[in-house]
């Protein structure tokens, strides 16, 4: 079998709640009719760049055996090692590699996770990833809705969705007071058996909070038995993560925008993380995710994959969760996007607050080029540090 084409298709994705995102889907075709698909998180941030980078790597794959995944990964990395050791380039290489694993699973007639670990967990607990925090007077309805959907855990952020739909990101005492009210309401309506997680979203934004403010938030989270505090500080301050971890009993989590095992190793060596959170659609693909999972296991750490995107790549993180035994929990959006519903013949199987293993061969993704027209990408769409922003095409 030989690779005949490698193409990146840009799509737009939406949910019934109004969330919008870009999606960059890589499609690999072969001379035997087998096709594979992977998604890069660059569809969220810089879709046009994803297309250009895929074109850069495509000539390296044409005519090669798609089963030679490790050698193709090395060839791509070596071809851009001067400038592509992290970030967008690694994410695109990962999407290409994931598409190769998709082909391998289809050729073997097995789900991809079974190519890595034959005996997997029967199910894995999930948590509902909410994004901004609801208002305290909305918590009762939110908890009822989540429990009805089977969730037994929720993750909220340090930003708040106001009644008029605007996003408010308070600081200092105002932030602590609002978080206190929200956390108290969740505990009131959900009880002590419902897990709460908090996402600082400070990893990759301008002007993130500092160590002392993060510690004040962590001390508040301790009072409500919050399970973990994700991205409490900038990723440019790994020493700060270690400093914070020494001063709070709340588990410190992070890693969604770290790429390759080398970047995770620097955090782990400092004792900066209690929970490691690679995203297979950013970290560099299934091979790189596997390296991070093994590194975490050797250090006695849990892996809780970051699992958020506009398209079918969400399912690749589900496969990774079942491929490794040190994954106790998985992120899941409350709603699937319209693109995910169209490209996943078998949607994530949720049952009593857990997710069941995928059953279809490969990654379980179905994508055809015409779907890019059915789910159009808006040029200039980018989830920037300040939130979703769509720029005019001619700007």
């Amino acid at each position: 079998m030989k690779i005949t084409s490698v193409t990146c298709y840009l799509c737009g994705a939406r949910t019934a709640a109004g969330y919008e995102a870009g999606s960059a889907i890589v499609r690999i075709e072969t001379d035997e009719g087998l096709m594979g698909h992977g998604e890069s998180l660059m569809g969220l941030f810089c879709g046009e760049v994803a297309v250009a980078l895929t074109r850069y790597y495509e000539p390296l794959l044409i005519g090669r055996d798609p089963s030679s995944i490790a050698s193709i990964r090395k060839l791509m990395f070596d071809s851009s090692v001067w400038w592509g050791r992290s970030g967008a380039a690694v994410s695109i290489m990962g999407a290409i590699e994931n598409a190769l694993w998709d082909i391998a699973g289809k050729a073997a007639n097995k789900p991809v996770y079974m190519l890595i670990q034959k005996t997997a967990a029967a199910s894995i607990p999930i948590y509902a990833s909410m994004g901004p925090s609801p208002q305290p007077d909305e918590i009762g309805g939110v908890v009822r809705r989540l429990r009805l959907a089977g969730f037994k855990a929720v993750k909220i952020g340090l930003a708040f969705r106001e009644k008029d739909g605007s996003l408010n990101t308070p600081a200092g005492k105002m932030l602590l007071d609002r978080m206190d009210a929200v956390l108290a309401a969740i505990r009131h309506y959900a009880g002590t058996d419902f897990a709460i997680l908090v996402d600082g979203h400070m990893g990759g934004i301008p002007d993130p909070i500092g160590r002392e403010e993060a510690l004040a938030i962590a001390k508040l989270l301790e009072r409500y038995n919050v399970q973990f505090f994700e991205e409490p500080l900038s990723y440019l301050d790994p020493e700060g993560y270690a400093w914070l971890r020494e001063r709070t009993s709340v588990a410190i989590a992070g890693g969604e925008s770290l790429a390759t095992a080398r970047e995770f190793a620097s955090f782990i060596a400092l004792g900066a993380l209690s929970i490691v959170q690679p995203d297979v659609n950013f970290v560099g693909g299934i091979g790189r995710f596997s390296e991070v999972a093994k590194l975490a296991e050797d250090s006695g750490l849990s892996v809780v994959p970051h699992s958020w995107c506009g398209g079918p790549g969400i399912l690749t993180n589900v496969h990774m969760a079942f491929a490794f035994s040190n994954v106790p929990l998985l992120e899941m959006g409350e709603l699937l996007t319209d693109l995910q519903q169209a490209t996943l013949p078998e949607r994530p199987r949720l049952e009593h607050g857990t997710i069941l293993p995928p059953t279809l061969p490969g990654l379980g993704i179905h994508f055809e080029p015409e779907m890019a027209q059915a789910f159009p990408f808006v040029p200039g769409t980018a989830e920037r540090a300040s939130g979703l922003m769509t720029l005019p095409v001619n700007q």
Side-chain angles (χ1 to χ4, degrees):
M1 195 187 328
K2 303 297 181 185
I3 296 170
T4 58
S5 69
V6 183
T7 310
C8 180
Y9 293 90
L10 297 183
C11 298
R14 294 162 183 79
T15 69
Y19 173 75
E20 298 182 6
S23 174
I25 300 173
V26 172
R27 176 183 174 94
I28 295 181
E29 299 184 1
T30 70
D31 60 358
E32 294 188 10
L34 276 182
M35 290 164 287
H37 298 92
E39 182 175 7
S40 165
L41 273 193
M42 293 306 96
L44 288 176
F45 303 103
C46 51
E48 293 85 350
V49 173
V51 172
L53 284 171
T54 303
R55 287 174 180 160
Y56 173 84
Y57 291 116
E58 180 186 21
L60 302 177
L61 279 78
I62 300 301
R64 293 189 178 274
D65 180 352
S67 67
S68 301
I69 298 175
S71 62
I72 291 174
R73 179 199 311 137
K74 184 177 187 304
L75 179 64
M76 289 191 294
F77 189 79
D78 289 348
S79 77
S80 51
V81 68
W82 197 89
W83 53 270
R85 295 185 295 275
S86 185
V90 170
S91 180
I92 296 301
M93 285 186 266
I96 292 171
E97 179 182 334
N98 294 346
L100 296 174
W101 279 91
D102 190 21
I103 291 173
K106 291 174 180 175
N109 197 33
K110 294 180 179 180
V112 163
Y113 77 89
M114 292 187 67
L115 301 180
I116 301 172
Q117 178 164 270
K118 294 180 180 179
T119 304
S123 65
I124 295 175
I126 55 174
Y127 66 85
S129 194
M130 297 288 293
S133 294
Q135 298 295 317
D137 61 0
E138 299 171 339
I139 295 296
V142 170
V143 169
R144 285 192 296 272
R145 188 177 74 231
L146 293 179
R147 284 199 180 278
L148 187 62
F151 288 102
K152 299 176 182 178
V154 65
K155 185 174 76 175
I156 58 174
L158 298 183
F160 299 84
R161 186 71 66 187
E162 303 294 358
K163 298 291 186 181
D164 62 2
S166 64
L167 196 63
N168 182 20
T169 53
K173 185 177 186 302
M174 184 179 295
L175 171 60
L176 291 174
D177 289 345
R178 294 197 68 170
M179 283 300 297
D180 195 2
V182 169
L183 293 169
I186 294 176
R187 279 286 172 248
H188 172 75
Y189 287 103
T192 57
D193 64 332
F194 198 85
I196 305 174
L197 309 90
V198 171
D199 193 340
H201 292 117
M202 295 293 154
I205 65 169
D207 305 317
I209 63 175
R211 296 182 184 183
E212 293 294 344
E213 186 168 4
L215 180 58
I217 295 168
K219 291 301 181 182
L220 171 65
L221 305 188
E222 289 177 359
R223 289 167 41 197
Y224 292 97
N225 194 29
V226 168
Q227 190 164 331
F228 67 66
F229 188 10
E230 178 178 345
E231 289 195 321
L233 296 164
S234 168
Y235 286 132
L236 299 177
D237 185 19
E239 295 83 3
Y241 275 73
W243 178 91
L244 180 62
R245 190 181 175 206
E246 290 177 350
R247 289 163 173 79
T248 179
S249 60
V250 177
I252 301 301
E256 67 185 61
S257 64
L258 298 181
T260 74
R262 181 179 297 274
E263 291 194 351
F264 278 92
S266 63
F267 274 73
I268 292 173
L270 288 169
L273 295 172
S274 311
I275 296 170
V276 177
Q277 294 183 296
D279 188 314
V280 71
N281 302 314
F282 184 83
V283 73
I286 290 171
R288 302 299 189 190
F289 188 105
S290 300
E291 293 169 357
V292 173
K294 181 62 166 59
L295 184 65
E297 182 181 41
D298 291 345
S299 302
L301 302 177
S302 296
V303 175
V304 177
H306 174 262
S307 184
W308 188 275
C309 59
I314 185 175
L315 203 58
T316 313
N317 277 303
V318 176
H319 280 270
M320 291 300 92
F322 283 98
F324 299 95
S325 58
N326 55 333
V327 178
L329 192 63
L330 180 65
E331 179 177 24
M332 187 61 51
E334 188 182 0
L335 299 171
L336 292 178
T337 68
D338 53 0
L339 181 62
Q340 289 164 349
Q341 294 178 52
T343 54
L344 299 178
E346 179 184 72
R347 299 176 188 179
R349 300 187 302 143
L350 309 184
E351 184 178 278
H352 307 306
T354 70
I355 188 167
L356 306 181
T359 65
L360 297 181
L363 292 173
I365 295 171
H366 175 77
F367 178 83
E368 298 296 341
E370 54 267 26
M371 288 181 173
Q373 282 72 52
F375 300 91
F377 176 84
V378 178
T381 297
E383 186 174 318
R384 302 174 189 271
S386 56
L388 187 68
M389 181 186 297
T390 302
L391 301 177
V393 177
N394 60 354
Q395 183 166 327

